[in-house]
Amino acid sequence: MVMPHTAILASGNRLDFTAVGRDINILSRLELLCKDVGRPLLMTGAFAAEVAAPVVEIGHFELRGFRQHQSLYGLCQDGEVPAAPPWTDGV
């Protein structure tokens, strides 16, 4: 899936691709952060709002290249209480 504001650059004679854009930068930062926090998957609040599975807030993180701290979420693991994300206003 290609996110809005993302460009995919490719050559007709090659099978390698380069994706650039804001969303790709966020994904790259999240991928690196997964190892640091010991989670197989991290997601932004906007993405977590679309996930049907229960999520837990992992914390607020500064992602290189972005001005604001990001609230990041992960899928609930054994014994974790699902988050009441800010996009639901606790409802």
Side-chain angles (χ1 to χ4, degrees):
M1 168 181 11
V2 177
M3 302 296 221
H5 311 293
T6 301
I8 300 217
L9 309 172
S11 167
N13 297 325
R14 296 177 55 159
L15 293 178
D16 58 341
F17 298 89
T18 301
V20 295
R22 179 183 178 273
D23 295 324
I24 300 300
N25 286 338
I26 289 175
L27 290 174
S28 174
R29 304 305 185 265
L30 294 181
E31 180 183 19
L32 294 172
L33 193 54
C34 282
K35 186 176 181 179
D36 292 342
V37 299
R39 291 280 182 161
L41 173 71
L42 291 173
M43 59 192 102
T44 62
F47 189 88
E50 302 297 325
V51 174
V55 298
V56 62
E57 186 173 6
I58 304 300
H60 300 272
F61 296 87
E62 182 178 346
L63 302 178
R64 186 174 52 88
F66 295 89
R67 292 182 184 162
Q68 298 178 342
H69 281 72
Q70 300 286 320
S71 294
L72 299 181
Y73 298 83
L75 295 176
C76 279
Q77 296 178 353
D78 293 335
E80 292 179 329
V81 177
W87 61 87
T88 64
D89 293 326
V91 176

Coordinates of all heavy atoms in Angstrom, one line a residue:
M1 N 0.8 -1.2 0.0 CA 0.0 0.0 0.0 C 0.9 1.2 0.0 O 1.8 1.3 0.8 CB -0.9 0.0 1.2 CG -1.6 1.3 1.4 SD -2.6 1.6 2.9 CE -2.4 0.2 3.9
V2 N 0.6 2.2 -0.8 CA 1.3 3.4 -0.9 C 0.5 4.5 -0.2 O -0.7 4.7 -0.5 CB 1.6 3.9 -2.4 CG1 2.3 5.2 -2.4 CG2 2.4 2.8 -3.1
M3 N 1.1 5.1 0.8 CA 0.4 6.2 1.5 C 0.4 7.5 0.8 O 1.2 7.7 -0.1 CB 1.1 6.4 2.9 CG 1.3 5.1 3.7 SD -0.4 4.6 4.2 CE -0.1 4.1 5.8
P4 N -0.6 8.3 1.1 CA -0.6 9.7 0.4 C 0.7 10.4 0.7 O 1.3 10.1 1.8 CB -1.7 10.4 1.1 CG -2.6 9.3 1.7 CD -1.7 8.1 2.0
H5 N 1.1 11.2 -0.1 CA 2.4 12.0 0.0 C 3.6 11.1 -0.1 O 4.6 11.5 0.5 CB 2.4 12.8 1.3 CG 1.1 13.6 1.5 ND1 0.8 14.7 0.7 CD2 0.2 13.5 2.4 CE1 -0.4 15.1 1.2 NE2 -0.8 14.4 2.2
T6 N 3.5 10.0 -0.7 CA 4.6 9.1 -0.8 C 4.9 8.9 -2.3 O 4.0 8.7 -3.1 CB 4.4 7.7 -0.2 OG1 4.1 8.0 1.2 CG2 5.5 6.8 -0.3
A7 N 6.1 9.0 -2.7 CA 6.5 8.8 -4.1 C 7.3 7.5 -4.2 O 8.1 7.2 -3.4 CB 7.3 9.9 -4.7
I8 N 7.0 6.7 -5.3 CA 7.8 5.5 -5.5 C 8.6 5.7 -6.8 O 8.0 6.1 -7.8 CB 6.9 4.3 -5.7 CG1 6.1 4.1 -4.4 CG2 7.7 3.1 -6.0 CD1 5.9 2.8 -3.9
L9 N 9.9 5.6 -6.7 CA 10.8 5.8 -7.8 C 11.3 4.4 -8.3 O 11.7 3.6 -7.5 CB 11.9 6.6 -7.4 CG 11.6 8.0 -6.7 CD1 12.8 8.6 -6.2 CD2 10.8 8.9 -7.6
A10 N 11.2 4.1 -9.5 CA 11.6 2.8 -10.0 C 12.2 3.0 -11.4 O 11.9 3.9 -12.2 CB 10.5 1.8 -10.0
S11 N 12.9 2.0 -11.9 CA 13.5 1.9 -13.2 C 12.8 0.8 -13.9 O 12.6 -0.3 -13.4 CB 15.0 1.7 -13.1 OG 15.5 1.4 -14.4
G12 N 12.5 1.0 -15.2 CA 11.9 -0.1 -16.0 C 12.7 -1.3 -16.2 O 12.3 -2.4 -16.5
N13 N 14.1 -1.1 -16.1 CA 15.0 -2.3 -16.3 C 15.5 -2.9 -15.0 O 16.2 -3.8 -15.1 CB 16.2 -1.8 -17.1 CG 15.8 -1.3 -18.5 OD1 14.9 -1.8 -19.1 ND2 16.5 -0.2 -18.9
R14 N 15.0 -2.5 -13.9 CA 15.5 -3.0 -12.6 C 14.3 -3.4 -11.8 O 13.2 -2.9 -11.9 CB 16.3 -2.0 -11.9 CG 17.6 -1.6 -12.7 CD 18.4 -0.5 -12.1 NE 18.7 -0.9 -10.7 CZ 19.7 -0.4 -10.0 NH1 20.4 0.5 -10.6 NH2 19.9 -0.7 -8.8
L15 N 14.6 -4.3 -10.8 CA 13.5 -4.8 -9.9 C 13.7 -4.2 -8.5 O 13.0 -4.6 -7.6 CB 13.6 -6.3 -9.8 CG 13.2 -7.0 -11.1 CD1 13.3 -8.5 -10.9 CD2 11.8 -6.7 -11.5
D16 N 14.5 -3.2 -8.3 CA 14.6 -2.6 -7.0 C 13.8 -1.2 -7.1 O 13.7 -0.6 -8.1 CB 16.0 -2.4 -6.6 CG 16.9 -1.6 -7.5 OD1 16.5 -1.4 -8.7 OD2 17.9 -1.1 -7.1
F17 N 13.3 -0.9 -5.9 CA 12.5 0.3 -5.8 C 12.9 1.2 -4.7 O 13.5 0.7 -3.7 CB 11.0 -0.1 -5.6 CG 10.4 -0.9 -6.7 CD1 10.5 -2.2 -6.7 CD2 9.8 -0.2 -7.8 CE1 9.9 -3.0 -7.8 CE2 9.2 -1.0 -8.8 CZ 9.3 -2.3 -8.8
T18 N 12.7 2.4 -4.7 CA 12.9 3.4 -3.6 C 11.6 4.1 -3.3 O 11.0 4.6 -4.3 CB 14.0 4.4 -4.0 OG1 15.2 3.7 -4.4 CG2 14.3 5.3 -2.9
A19 N 11.2 4.1 -2.1 CA 10.0 4.8 -1.7 C 10.5 6.0 -0.8 O 11.3 5.8 0.1 CB 9.1 3.9 -0.9
V20 N 10.0 7.2 -1.0 CA 10.3 8.3 -0.2 C 9.1 9.1 0.2 O 8.0 8.9 -0.5 CB 11.3 9.3 -1.0 CG1 12.6 8.7 -1.3 CG2 10.6 9.8 -2.3
G21 N 9.2 9.8 1.2 CA 8.0 10.6 1.7 C 7.9 10.6 3.2 O 8.6 9.8 3.9
R22 N 7.0 11.4 3.7 CA 6.8 11.5 5.2 C 6.5 10.2 5.8 O 7.0 9.8 6.8 CB 5.7 12.6 5.4 CG 5.4 12.8 6.9 CD 4.3 13.8 7.1 NE 4.0 13.9 8.5 CZ 3.1 13.1 9.1 NH1 2.5 12.1 8.5 NH2 2.9 13.3 10.4
D23 N 5.5 9.5 5.2 CA 5.1 8.2 5.8 C 6.2 7.2 5.8 O 6.3 6.4 6.8 CB 3.8 7.7 5.1 CG 2.6 8.6 5.2 OD1 2.5 9.2 6.3 OD2 1.9 8.8 4.2
I24 N 7.0 7.1 4.8 CA 8.1 6.2 4.8 C 9.1 6.6 5.8 O 9.7 5.7 6.5 CB 8.7 6.2 3.4 CG1 7.7 5.7 2.3 CG2 10.0 5.3 3.4 CD1 7.1 4.4 2.5
N25 N 9.3 7.8 6.1 CA 10.3 8.3 7.1 C 9.8 7.8 8.5 O 10.5 7.3 9.3 CB 10.5 9.8 7.1 CG 11.3 10.2 6.0 OD1 12.1 9.5 5.4 ND2 11.2 11.5 5.6
I26 N 8.5 8.0 8.7 CA 7.9 7.5 10.0 C 8.1 6.0 10.2 O 8.5 5.5 11.2 CB 6.4 7.9 10.1 CG1 6.3 9.4 10.3 CG2 5.7 7.2 11.3 CD1 4.9 9.9 10.4
L27 N 7.8 5.3 9.1 CA 7.9 3.8 9.2 C 9.3 3.4 9.5 O 9.6 2.5 10.2 CB 7.4 3.2 7.8 CG 6.0 3.2 7.6 CD1 5.7 2.7 6.2 CD2 5.2 2.4 8.6
S28 N 10.3 4.1 8.9 CA 11.7 3.8 9.1 C 12.0 4.0 10.6 O 12.7 3.2 11.2 CB 12.5 4.6 8.2 OG 13.9 4.5 8.5
R29 N 11.6 5.1 11.1 CA 11.9 5.4 12.6 C 11.2 4.4 13.5 O 11.8 4.0 14.5 CB 11.4 6.8 12.9 CG 11.9 8.0 12.1 CD 13.4 8.1 12.0 NE 13.8 9.3 11.3 CZ 14.1 9.3 10.0 NH1 14.0 8.2 9.2 NH2 14.5 10.4 9.4
L30 N 10.0 4.0 13.1 CA 9.3 3.0 14.0 C 10.0 1.6 13.9 O 10.1 1.0 14.9 CB 7.8 2.9 13.5 CG 6.9 4.1 13.7 CD1 5.5 3.8 13.3 CD2 7.0 4.6 15.2
E31 N 10.5 1.3 12.8 CA 11.2 0.0 12.6 C 12.4 0.0 13.5 O 12.6 -1.0 14.2 CB 11.6 -0.2 11.2 CG 12.3 -1.5 10.9 CD 12.8 -1.7 9.5 OE1 12.8 -0.7 8.8 OE2 13.1 -2.8 9.2
L32 N 13.2 1.0 13.5 CA 14.3 1.1 14.4 C 14.0 1.1 15.9 O 14.7 0.5 16.7 CB 15.2 2.3 14.0 CG 15.8 2.4 12.6 CD1 16.4 3.8 12.4 CD2 16.8 1.3 12.5
L33 N 12.9 1.8 16.2 CA 12.5 1.9 17.6 C 11.9 0.6 18.2 O 12.0 0.3 19.4 CB 11.4 3.0 17.7 CG 11.1 3.5 19.1 CD1 12.3 3.9 19.9 CD2 10.1 4.6 19.0
C34 N 11.4 -0.3 17.3 CA 10.9 -1.6 17.7 C 11.9 -2.4 18.6 O 11.5 -2.9 19.6 CB 10.4 -2.5 16.5 SG 8.8 -2.0 15.8
K35 N 13.1 -2.4 18.1 CA 14.1 -3.2 18.8 C 14.4 -2.5 20.2 O 14.5 -3.2 21.2 CB 15.4 -3.2 18.0 CG 16.5 -4.0 18.5 CD 17.7 -4.0 17.6 CE 18.8 -4.9 18.1 NZ 19.9 -5.0 17.2
D36 N 14.5 -1.2 20.2 CA 14.7 -0.5 21.5 C 13.7 -0.8 22.6 O 14.0 -0.8 23.7 CB 14.9 1.0 21.3 CG 16.1 1.3 20.5 OD1 17.0 0.5 20.4 OD2 16.2 2.5 19.9
V37 N 12.4 -0.8 22.2 CA 11.3 -1.0 23.1 C 10.9 -2.5 23.3 O 10.0 -2.8 24.0 CB 10.1 -0.1 22.8 CG1 10.5 1.4 22.9 CG2 9.5 -0.5 21.5
G38 N 11.5 -3.3 22.5 CA 11.2 -4.8 22.6 C 9.8 -5.2 22.1 O 9.2 -6.0 22.7
R39 N 9.4 -4.5 21.0 CA 8.1 -4.8 20.4 C 8.2 -5.2 19.0 O 9.1 -4.6 18.3 CB 7.2 -3.5 20.5 CG 6.7 -3.1 21.9 CD 5.6 -4.0 22.3 NE 5.1 -3.6 23.6 CZ 3.9 -4.0 24.0 NH1 3.0 -4.6 23.3 NH2 3.5 -3.6 25.2
P40 N 7.5 -6.1 18.5 CA 7.6 -6.5 17.1 C 6.9 -5.5 16.2 O 7.1 -5.5 15.0 CB 6.9 -7.9 17.0 CG 5.9 -7.8 18.2 CD 6.6 -7.0 19.2
L41 N 6.0 -4.7 16.7 CA 5.2 -3.8 15.9 C 4.9 -2.5 16.7 O 4.5 -2.6 17.8 CB 3.9 -4.4 15.5 CG 2.9 -3.5 14.8 CD1 3.4 -3.2 13.3 CD2 1.5 -4.2 14.7
L42 N 5.1 -1.3 16.1 CA 4.7 -0.1 16.7 C 3.9 0.7 15.6 O 4.1 0.5 14.4 CB 6.0 0.8 17.0 CG 6.8 0.3 18.2 CD1 8.1 1.2 18.3 CD2 6.0 0.3 19.5
M43 N 3.0 1.5 16.1 CA 2.1 2.2 15.2 C 1.8 3.6 15.8 O 1.8 3.8 17.0 CB 0.9 1.5 14.9 CG 0.0 1.1 16.1 SD -1.3 -0.1 15.8 CE -0.5 -1.6 16.4
T44 N 1.5 4.5 14.9 CA 1.1 5.9 15.3 C -0.4 5.8 15.7 O -1.1 4.8 15.4 CB 1.2 6.9 14.1 OG1 0.4 6.5 13.1 CG2 2.7 7.0 13.7
G45 N -0.8 6.8 16.4 CA -2.2 6.9 16.8 C -3.2 6.8 15.6 O -4.2 6.2 15.7
A46 N -2.9 7.5 14.5 CA -3.7 7.5 13.3 C -3.9 6.0 12.8 O -5.0 5.6 12.4 CB -3.2 8.4 12.3
F47 N -2.8 5.3 12.8 CA -2.8 3.9 12.3 C -3.6 3.0 13.3 O -4.4 2.2 12.9 CB -1.4 3.4 12.0 CG -1.4 2.1 11.3 CD1 -1.4 2.0 10.0 CD2 -1.4 0.9 12.1 CE1 -1.4 0.8 9.3 CE2 -1.4 -0.3 11.4 CZ -1.4 -0.4 10.0
A48 N -3.3 3.2 14.6 CA -3.9 2.4 15.7 C -5.4 2.6 15.6 O -6.2 1.7 16.0 CB -3.3 2.8 17.0
A49 N -5.9 3.8 15.2 CA -7.3 4.0 15.2 C -8.0 3.1 14.2 O -9.2 2.9 14.3 CB -7.6 5.5 14.8
E50 N -7.3 2.6 13.2 CA -7.9 1.8 12.1 C -7.7 0.3 12.4 O -8.2 -0.5 11.7 CB -7.2 2.1 10.8 CG -7.3 3.6 10.4 CD -8.8 4.0 10.1 OE1 -9.6 3.2 9.7 OE2 -9.1 5.1 10.5
V51 N -7.0 -0.1 13.5 CA -6.7 -1.5 13.8 C -7.9 -2.0 14.6 O -8.3 -1.4 15.6 CB -5.4 -1.6 14.5 CG1 -5.1 -3.0 15.0 CG2 -4.2 -1.1 13.6
A52 N -8.4 -3.2 14.2 CA -9.5 -3.8 14.9 C -9.0 -4.4 16.2 O -9.8 -4.6 17.2 CB -10.2 -4.8 14.0
A53 N -7.8 -4.8 16.3 CA -7.3 -5.5 17.6 C -7.0 -4.4 18.7 O -6.8 -3.3 18.4 CB -6.0 -6.2 17.2
P54 N -7.1 -4.9 19.9 CA -6.8 -3.9 21.0 C -5.3 -3.5 21.0 O -4.5 -4.3 20.7 CB -7.1 -4.7 22.3 CG -7.2 -6.2 21.9 CD -7.4 -6.2 20.4
V55 N -5.1 -2.2 21.3 CA -3.8 -1.7 21.3 C -3.5 -1.1 22.7 O -4.4 -0.8 23.5 CB -3.6 -0.6 20.3 CG1 -3.8 -1.1 18.9 CG2 -4.5 0.6 20.5
V56 N -2.2 -0.9 23.0 CA -1.7 -0.3 24.2 C -0.8 0.8 23.9 O 0.0 0.7 22.9 CB -1.0 -1.4 25.1 CG1 0.2 -2.0 24.5 CG2 -0.7 -0.8 26.5
E57 N -0.9 1.9 24.6 CA 0.1 3.0 24.4 C 1.4 2.6 25.0 O 1.5 2.3 26.1 CB -0.4 4.3 25.0 CG 0.4 5.5 24.7 CD -0.1 6.8 25.1 OE1 -1.1 6.8 25.8 OE2 0.5 7.8 24.8
I58 N 2.4 2.7 24.1 CA 3.8 2.4 24.5 C 4.5 3.6 25.2 O 5.3 3.5 26.1 CB 4.6 1.9 23.3 CG1 4.0 0.7 22.6 CG2 6.1 1.6 23.7 CD1 3.8 -0.5 23.5
G59 N 4.2 4.8 24.7 CA 4.8 6.0 25.2 C 4.8 7.1 24.2 O 4.3 6.9 23.1
H60 N 5.5 8.2 24.6 CA 5.7 9.3 23.7 C 7.1 9.4 23.3 O 8.0 9.3 24.2 CB 5.3 10.6 24.4 CG 3.8 10.7 24.8 ND1 2.8 11.1 24.0 CD2 3.3 10.3 25.9 CE1 1.7 11.0 24.6 NE2 1.9 10.5 25.8
F61 N 7.4 9.5 22.0 CA 8.8 9.4 21.5 C 9.1 10.5 20.5 O 8.2 10.9 19.8 CB 9.0 8.1 20.8 CG 8.9 6.9 21.7 CD1 7.7 6.3 21.9 CD2 10.0 6.4 22.3 CE1 7.5 5.2 22.7 CE2 9.9 5.3 23.2 CZ 8.6 4.7 23.4
E62 N 10.3 11.0 20.6 CA 10.8 12.0 19.6 C 11.4 11.2 18.4 O 12.3 10.4 18.6 CB 11.8 12.9 20.2 CG 12.3 13.9 19.3 CD 13.4 14.8 19.9 OE1 13.5 14.8 21.2 OE2 14.0 15.5 19.2
L63 N 10.8 11.4 17.3 CA 11.3 10.7 16.1 C 12.1 11.7 15.3 O 11.7 12.8 15.0 CB 10.1 10.2 15.2 CG 9.2 9.2 15.9 CD1 8.0 8.8 15.0 CD2 9.9 8.0 16.4
R64 N 13.4 11.3 15.0 CA 14.3 12.1 14.2 C 13.6 12.6 13.0 O 13.0 11.9 12.2 CB 15.6 11.3 13.9 CG 16.6 12.2 13.3 CD 17.9 11.4 13.1 NE 17.8 10.1 12.4 CZ 17.8 10.0 11.0 NH1 18.0 11.1 10.3 NH2 17.7 8.8 10.5
G65 N 13.7 13.9 12.8 CA 13.2 14.6 11.6 C 11.7 15.0 11.7 O 11.2 15.6 10.8
F66 N 11.1 14.8 12.9 CA 9.8 15.3 13.2 C 9.8 16.2 14.4 O 10.4 15.9 15.4 CB 8.8 14.1 13.4 CG 8.7 13.3 12.1 CD1 9.6 12.2 11.9 CD2 7.7 13.5 11.2 CE1 9.5 11.5 10.7 CE2 7.6 12.8 10.0 CZ 8.5 11.7 9.8
R67 N 9.0 17.3 14.3 CA 9.1 18.3 15.3 C 8.4 17.9 16.6 O 8.9 18.2 17.7 CB 8.4 19.6 14.8 CG 9.2 20.2 13.8 CD 8.6 21.5 13.3 NE 9.3 22.1 12.2 CZ 8.9 23.0 11.4 NH1 7.7 23.5 11.5 NH2 9.6 23.4 10.4
Q68 N 7.3 17.2 16.5 CA 6.5 16.9 17.7 C 6.8 15.4 18.1 O 7.0 14.6 17.3 CB 5.0 17.0 17.4 CG 4.6 18.4 17.1 CD 3.1 18.5 16.8 OE1 2.4 17.5 16.5 NE2 2.5 19.7 16.8
H69 N 6.7 15.2 19.5 CA 6.7 13.9 20.0 C 5.5 13.1 19.5 O 4.4 13.7 19.3 CB 6.7 13.9 21.5 CG 8.0 14.2 22.1 ND1 8.6 15.5 22.1 CD2 9.0 13.4 22.7 CE1 9.8 15.5 22.7 NE2 10.0 14.2 23.1
Q70 N 5.7 11.8 19.2 CA 4.6 11.0 18.7 C 4.2 10.0 19.8 O 5.0 9.4 20.5 CB 5.1 10.2 17.5 CG 5.6 11.0 16.4 CD 4.5 11.6 15.6 OE1 3.4 11.0 15.4 NE2 4.7 12.9 15.2
S71 N 2.9 9.9 20.0 CA 2.3 8.8 20.8 C 2.4 7.5 20.0 O 1.8 7.5 18.9 CB 0.9 9.1 21.3 OG 0.8 10.2 22.1
L72 N 3.0 6.5 20.5 CA 3.1 5.3 19.8 C 2.4 4.1 20.5 O 2.3 4.1 21.7 CB 4.6 4.9 19.6 CG 5.4 5.9 18.8 CD1 6.8 5.5 18.6 CD2 4.8 6.2 17.4
Y73 N 1.9 3.2 19.7 CA 1.0 2.1 20.2 C 1.6 0.8 19.7 O 2.2 0.7 18.7 CB -0.4 2.3 19.8 CG -1.0 3.6 20.3 CD1 -0.8 4.8 19.7 CD2 -1.8 3.6 21.4 CE1 -1.4 6.0 20.2 CE2 -2.4 4.7 22.0 CZ -2.1 5.9 21.3 OH -2.7 7.1 21.8
G74 N 1.2 -0.2 20.4 CA 1.5 -1.6 20.0 C 0.3 -2.5 20.3 O -0.6 -2.1 21.0
L75 N 0.3 -3.7 19.7 CA -0.8 -4.6 19.9 C -0.7 -5.1 21.4 O 0.4 -5.3 21.9 CB -0.7 -5.8 19.0 CG -0.9 -5.5 17.5 CD1 -0.6 -6.7 16.7 CD2 -2.3 -4.9 17.3
C76 N -1.8 -5.2 22.0 CA -1.8 -5.7 23.4 C -1.2 -7.1 23.5 O -1.4 -8.0 22.6 CB -3.2 -5.8 23.9 SG -3.9 -4.2 24.5
Q77 N -0.4 -7.3 24.5 CA 0.2 -8.6 24.8 C -0.4 -9.1 26.1 O -1.1 -8.4 26.7 CB 1.8 -8.4 24.9 CG 2.4 -8.0 23.6 CD 3.9 -7.8 23.7 OE1 4.5 -7.9 24.7 NE2 4.5 -7.5 22.5
D78 N -0.1 -10.3 26.4 CA -0.7 -11.0 27.6 C -0.7 -10.0 28.8 O 0.4 -9.5 29.2 CB 0.1 -12.2 27.9 CG -0.1 -13.3 26.9 OD1 -1.2 -13.2 26.2 OD2 0.7 -14.2 26.8
G79 N -1.8 -9.8 29.4 CA -1.9 -9.1 30.7 C -2.0 -7.6 30.5 O -2.2 -6.9 31.5
E80 N -1.8 -7.0 29.3 CA -1.8 -5.6 29.2 C -3.3 -5.1 29.0 O -4.1 -5.8 28.3 CB -1.0 -5.2 27.9 CG 0.5 -5.4 28.1 CD 1.3 -5.0 26.9 OE1 0.8 -5.1 25.8 OE2 2.4 -4.6 27.1
V81 N -3.6 -4.0 29.6 CA -4.9 -3.4 29.5 C -4.9 -2.5 28.2 O -4.1 -1.6 28.1 CB -5.2 -2.6 30.7 CG1 -6.6 -1.9 30.6 CG2 -5.2 -3.4 32.0
P82 N -5.9 -2.7 27.3 CA -6.0 -1.9 26.1 C -6.1 -0.4 26.5 O -6.7 0.0 27.5 CB -7.3 -2.4 25.5 CG -7.5 -3.7 26.0 CD -7.0 -3.7 27.4
A83 N -5.5 0.4 25.6 CA -5.5 1.9 25.8 C -6.9 2.4 25.4 O -7.6 1.9 24.6 CB -4.4 2.5 24.9
A84 N -7.2 3.5 26.1 CA -8.3 4.4 25.6 C -7.7 5.5 24.8 O -7.3 6.5 25.4 CB -9.1 4.9 26.8
P85 N -7.4 5.3 23.5 CA -6.7 6.2 22.7 C -7.4 7.6 22.7 O -8.6 7.7 22.9 CB -6.7 5.6 21.3 CG -7.3 4.3 21.4 CD -7.9 4.2 22.8
P86 N -6.6 8.7 22.5 CA -7.1 10.0 22.5 C -8.1 10.3 21.4 O -9.0 11.1 21.6 CB -5.9 10.9 22.3 CG -4.8 10.0 21.8 CD -5.1 8.6 22.3
W87 N -8.1 9.5 20.3 CA -9.1 9.7 19.3 C -10.5 9.3 19.7 O -11.4 9.5 19.0 CB -8.6 9.1 18.0 CG -8.5 7.6 18.0 CD1 -9.4 6.7 17.8 CD2 -7.3 6.9 18.3 NE1 -8.9 5.4 18.0 CE2 -7.6 5.5 18.3 CE3 -6.0 7.3 18.6 CZ2 -6.7 4.5 18.5 CZ3 -5.1 6.3 18.9 CH2 -5.4 4.9 18.8
T88 N -10.6 8.5 20.8 CA -12.0 8.1 21.2 C -12.4 8.9 22.4 O -13.6 8.7 22.9 CB -12.0 6.6 21.6 OG1 -11.1 6.5 22.8 CG2 -11.5 5.7 20.5
D89 N -11.6 9.8 22.9 CA -11.9 10.6 24.0 C -12.3 9.8 25.2 O -13.2 10.1 26.0 CB -13.1 11.6 23.7 CG -12.6 12.7 22.7 OD1 -11.4 13.1 22.7 OD2 -13.4 13.1 21.9
G90 N -11.7 8.6 25.4 CA -12.0 7.7 26.5 C -13.3 7.0 26.5 O -13.6 6.3 27.4
V91 N -14.0 7.1 25.4 CA -15.3 6.4 25.3 C -15.1 5.1 24.6 O -14.4 4.9 23.7 CB -16.3 7.3 24.4 CG1 -17.6 6.5 24.3 CG2 -16.5 8.6 25.1

